[in-house]
Amino acid sequence: MLEAAVACLAEYGWAGSTVSVVAERAGVSRGAAQHHFPTREDLFTAAVEYVAEERSQALRALPTQERPTVVAALVDLYTGPLFRAALHLWVAAADEEQLRPRVTELEARVGRESHRIAVELLGADESRPGVRESVQGLLDMARGLGLATLLTDDRARRERVVAQWARLLDEALG
């Protein structure tokens, strides 16, 4: 059901993603959905958190790779359906008071975990000046590429940016 919720959010946005739509896509009754997730906010924050955790586990399971491969894998976090779904949730939270604190807390947790995984995968020593900021810059840049991907398929440009960022990280991380 959680995967169906993320898929609906990515496909239909917040306005088009109701508990009924998700239940139908998941093949369960609306009552069953509401039994597990009493509110729409419960369902969608749990769904984004679940898929983010699955993606984090997949990243943690990556074998040691060269930096360009790691940078590309991290950018992929922000260019797929999970990011699209999360973005719809963030936009909705900007206008809905009851949703905002939940999404803010979720974003902080996911952001910290993404940073921690990036540090591990890149073999970054954050005790060195500028390294923490370089890793965070990578994640911020990836988020920006994810936003650009929502409007156009700019894969060729994204690949060049990712390659350049990997070179910059090699210099910054040593």
Side-chain angles (χ1 to χ4, degrees):
M1 188 146 111
L2 296 175
E3 289 173 2
V6 168
C8 286
L9 199 53
E11 190 173 336
Y12 306 123
W14 178 253
S17 296
T18 63
V19 174
S20 295
V21 168
V22 172
E24 183 178 325
R25 187 176 199 137
V28 301
S29 71
R30 179 183 165 87
Q34 288 189 304
H35 172 74
H36 294 288
F37 303 100
T39 69
R40 183 178 184 207
E41 292 80 9
D42 291 335
L43 173 61
F44 288 105
T45 54
V48 170
E49 185 171 28
Y50 165 77
V51 175
E53 178 54 34
E54 281 206 335
R55 185 68 179 128
S56 293
Q57 286 177 6
L59 281 173
R60 284 192 294 266
L62 282 176
T64 302
Q65 302 278 335
E66 294 194 11
R67 284 201 179 121
T69 305
V70 170
V71 170
L74 291 167
V75 167
D76 285 348
L77 273 176
Y78 296 94
T79 56
L82 172 60
F83 178 74
R84 182 180 290 271
L87 184 61
H88 284 296
L89 198 59
W90 298 332
V91 170
D95 294 328
E96 298 198 22
E97 287 294 323
Q98 77 276 16
L99 186 58
R100 186 175 303 131
R102 297 176 77 167
V103 173
T104 301
E105 190 242 320
L106 174 62
E107 167 59 18
R109 258 196 340 259
V110 169
R112 283 189 304 270
E113 182 64 11
S114 297
H115 187 93
R116 190 172 22 257
I117 290 169
V119 167
E120 289 173 22
L121 291 174
L122 292 166
D125 177 2
E126 288 191 303
S127 68
R128 293 182 50 215
V131 168
R132 179 172 181 70
E133 293 77 11
S134 295
V135 172
Q136 190 57 50
L138 163 63
L139 296 174
D140 292 344
M141 180 269 306
R143 190 176 290 119
L145 290 174
L147 287 171
T149 298
L150 292 173
L151 299 175
T152 62
D153 181 4
D154 66 342
R155 203 167 303 146
R157 182 183 70 85
R158 185 172 64 237
E159 287 173 3
R160 290 190 309 273
V161 170
V162 167
Q164 178 61 23
W165 198 267
R167 286 189 291 274
L168 292 171
L169 278 175
D170 272 339
E171 291 175 24
L173 304 180

